[in-house]
Amino acid sequence: MNQTQDRGSARRNGPVTRPLVNTVRRPSTVDLIAVELRNAIYGGTLKPGSSVREAEVASQLGVSRGPLRESAQRLVQEGLLVARPGAGLRVVMVRADQVEDLYQARLAIEGAAVRQIAAVDPEERRQHIASFEVLLDALVSALEDGSDARRIGDADLDLHYGLVEATGNLRLMSFASTLIIQTRVAALSHSDGYVVRTDILDVHRTLLRQLSDGDGQAASETLEGHFRQTVDRLLGRLNEPFSTVSGEADGSHFSFNRLP
């Protein structure tokens, strides 16, 4: 089984969402629990600000509290959970004053990724572009339907994670995974509810064309402009017209998988 297959088998419920991958070849129970917790946060089962009921989660997973606590501490270090004395663990909330920092961090990681991809030899770059086009097609399909905010949001974030994944740099992938999950948390934390833009195809097509041309600087600048618009929208500062769809990413389709 290759690494991509390993990642796919780690998520057995709901749509495939690339950022939740576990890159460990032979994951331990602690690794598998961490994947399940990330999946629950990304999917909205564990909502921003909600408490993590240790006994309930351990029972659903079929594990003892020891490895669950160890896994939870990993997510505390990743900034996905918050530990408060006497109050247990809660899912982080991304406040409005943290949104700009989040997207600056994403730009640092994804900007480095697109510059690296643009710099490889043309044949390798063509292979990457072919993979990106598959991800773009998924976004096109989601937008053509136009009514499923969760599907659109997943396809968008899958494409952005795919840019980093193409570098093969496990550290960049790890950072990107956490930042993209935090991006979903930021969307779920917004006062207007879960809302995604639907007029985003042109910017993604431009990005892929620039990568195909080997112009990493232009691709990085396209990302920067796209992220700046996103931050302005989330903070209510975007004056130009834009289209959105709202929905519930409440994880109703998801339950914790009992681990083997």
Side-chain angles (χ1 to χ4, degrees):
M1 182 179 288
N2 61 32
Q3 190 173 6
T4 301
Q5 290 171 321
D6 286 342
R7 291 195 292 266
S9 64
R11 299 181 303 277
R12 298 176 294 282
N13 281 342
V16 174
T17 44
R18 302 167 74 88
L20 308 173
V21 302
N22 184 352
T23 57
V24 178
R25 282 286 184 175
R26 294 182 178 178
S28 66
T29 298
V30 172
D31 296 323
L32 292 173
I33 295 170
V35 170
E36 292 290 331
L37 290 172
R38 293 187 194 102
N39 200 348
I41 294 170
Y42 189 77
T45 299
L46 294 176
K47 297 181 180 180
S50 67
S51 62
V52 178
R53 297 180 177 85
E54 190 176 278
E56 180 181 334
V57 174
S59 176
Q60 288 188 25
L61 291 170
V63 299
S64 65
R65 295 192 184 188
L68 175 61
R69 288 170 180 162
E70 186 175 345
S71 299
Q73 285 306 310
R74 288 189 185 182
L75 271 68
V76 170
Q77 293 171 0
E78 293 171 8
L80 300 176
L81 293 177
V82 178
R84 295 181 178 176
L89 292 164
R90 290 189 174 274
V91 179
V92 69
M93 293 189 70
V94 178
R95 304 187 309 270
D97 62 356
Q98 298 172 314
V99 167
E100 198 148 8
D101 288 349
L102 171 59
Y103 278 88
Q104 286 175 354
R106 280 190 59 186
L107 179 62
I109 299 299
E110 294 179 42
V114 297
R115 288 191 294 271
Q116 182 174 328
I117 293 164
V120 302
D121 68 79
E123 179 56 35
E124 183 179 354
R125 194 164 64 245
R126 278 193 292 272
Q127 293 174 7
H128 290 320
I129 295 301
S131 297
F132 299 152
E133 287 174 343
V134 172
L135 295 171
L136 182 61
D137 286 346
L139 180 58
V140 170
S141 178
L143 289 168
E144 284 177 345
D145 173 69
S147 61
D148 190 337
R150 168 64 187 269
R151 183 183 171 199
I152 295 169
D154 282 351
D156 181 22
L157 293 176
D158 284 355
L159 177 55
H160 281 272
Y161 183 79
L163 295 172
V164 182
E165 187 179 41
T167 69
N169 185 315
L170 295 182
R171 290 185 184 276
L172 287 181
M173 289 163 63
S174 178
F175 295 146
S177 174
T178 297
L179 290 169
I180 286 177
I181 298 171
Q182 288 178 343
T183 299
R184 171 58 59 76
V185 172
L188 292 172
S189 301
H190 199 275
S191 58
D192 291 339
Y194 185 67
V195 179
V196 296
R197 281 189 70 164
T198 56
D199 53 353
I200 54 175
L201 270 183
D202 285 348
V203 69
H204 287 89
R205 285 171 171 156
T206 297
L207 178 63
L208 264 61
R209 184 177 66 251
Q210 292 164 336
L211 284 176
S212 182
D213 293 340
D215 194 341
Q217 182 60 36
S220 180
E221 290 172 359
T222 294
L223 273 177
E224 183 176 11
H226 178 48
F227 286 169
R228 188 184 310 115
Q229 272 201 344
T230 301
V231 170
D232 286 345
R233 178 182 70 83
L234 290 172
L235 298 182
R237 303 187 310 217
L238 187 59
N239 295 320
E240 62 190 75
F242 57 92
S243 62
T244 63
V245 62
S246 61
E248 293 294 332
D250 62 1
S252 57
H253 68 283
F254 179 87
S255 62
F256 285 103
N257 292 286
R258 193 171 185 85
L259 298 178

